[in-house]
């Protein structure tokens, strides 16, 4: 059994849904996972776990500020394993050209995961998996794109396969 602690900073509920789904999948596979919103959580006093998962919404291509601040304060022993997921607004066609951005163009704009990785790797933590979940961009709250549960399942598999 793997003991997992997940910390997320969901604002509109999409990341919270992903977290709950991951918890359900882990539970179904016999693993213990606790979900926390970072509001009120203590980054310097995190419960012991085999692995940590962090989930962040995106603001202007980067992690939401509350998550950046939380991650900076995280205090875990070097070598600790983590996985990370970001929620992003779905890609939309360019206003002028009508063309969809390429994968490469999107990656240039999407720094949520790389920014958090940089800080966590600087603390000696070891990443085992990451995943992006897209949210429709048509409304403020948005909605997770169809197939998100399958993606959560795959993400759980790659986290667990890290040994
Ligand atoms: C002010 C603001 C700026 C945003 N900027 C971006 C962005 O640059 N890139 C992106 O992919 N999503 C952006 N989003 C969409 C958020 O990523 C999306 O609302 C969030 O991931 C949904 O997660 P949540 O429901 O868990 O809060 C932005 C949202 C807001 C409100």
């Amino acid at each position: 059994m793997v003991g997992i602690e997940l910390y997320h900073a969901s604002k509109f509920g999409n990341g919270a849904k992903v977290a709950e789904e991951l918890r359900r999948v882990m539970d179904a596979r016999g693993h213990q996972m606790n979900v926390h919103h970072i509001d009120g959580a203590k980054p310097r006093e995190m419960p012991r776990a085999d692995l940590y998962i962090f989930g962040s919404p995106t603001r202007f291509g980067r992690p939401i500020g509350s998550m950046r601040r939380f991650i900076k304060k995280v205090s875990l022993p070097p070598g600790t394993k983590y996985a990370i997921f970001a929620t992003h607004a779905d890609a939309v066609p360019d206003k002028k050209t009508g063309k969809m951005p390429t994968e490469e163009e999107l990656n240039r704009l999407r720094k949520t995961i790389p920014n958090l990785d940089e800080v966590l790797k600087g603390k000696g933590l070891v990443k085992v998996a990451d995943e992006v979940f897209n949210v429709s961009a048509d409304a403020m709250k948005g909605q997770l794109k169809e197939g998100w549960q399958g993606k959560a399942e795959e993400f759980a598999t790659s986290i667990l396969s890290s040994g």
Side-chain angles (χ1 to χ4, degrees):
M1 191 190 86
V2 183
I4 306 168
E5 299 288 331
L6 182 152
Y7 289 83
H8 71 85
S10 179
K11 181 91 177 171
F12 301 120
N14 297 288
K17 264 172 95 173
V18 170
E20 248 338 286
E21 181 66 10
L22 287 169
R23 201 191 59 73
R24 193 190 66 72
V25 172
M26 292 300 185
D27 184 66
R29 298 187 192 178
H31 304 293
Q32 164 79 36
M33 182 171 125
N34 297 314
V35 173
H36 316 260
H37 194 285
I38 62 166
D39 281 356
K42 296 199 167 98
R44 294 189 177 98
E45 295 168 36
M46 297 166 84
R48 284 184 70 137
D50 300 307
L51 190 140
Y52 296 81
I53 304 177
F54 301 104
S56 181
T58 301
R59 292 292 181 270
F60 309 103
R62 301 164 67 209
I64 197 166
S66 57
M67 194 54 153
R68 285 207 302 273
R69 290 189 291 278
F70 184 88
I71 289 289
K72 268 190 203 153
K73 292 182 196 153
V74 160
S75 168
L76 290 168
T80 300
K81 289 182 189 172
Y82 74 94
I84 198 158
F85 72 88
T87 48
H88 278 284
D90 203 13
V92 289
D94 185 275
K95 282 198 187 95
K96 276 189 199 151
T97 65
K99 272 193 203 154
M100 286 300 283
T102 63
E103 201 61 33
E104 203 190 342
E105 285 165 340
L106 271 181
N107 288 342
R108 238 180 285 138
L109 297 169
R110 293 180 158 181
K111 297 295 181 202
T112 306
I113 291 174
N115 280 13
L116 297 176
D117 270 347
E118 200 183 320
V119 179
L120 292 168
K121 285 180 181 161
K123 294 174 191 277
L125 274 58
V126 178
K127 183 161 83 171
V128 297
D130 63 28
E131 190 62 89
V132 166
F133 290 89
N134 287 302
V135 173
S136 64
D138 51 357
M140 187 64 175
K141 276 181 82 168
Q143 214 178 356
L144 286 159
K145 288 258 296 190
E146 215 188 303
W148 68 274
Q149 286 106 331
K151 223 174 181 185
E153 186 110 25
E154 281 170 28
F155 184 40
T157 300
S158 67
I159 291 170
L160 293 170
S161 69
S162 70

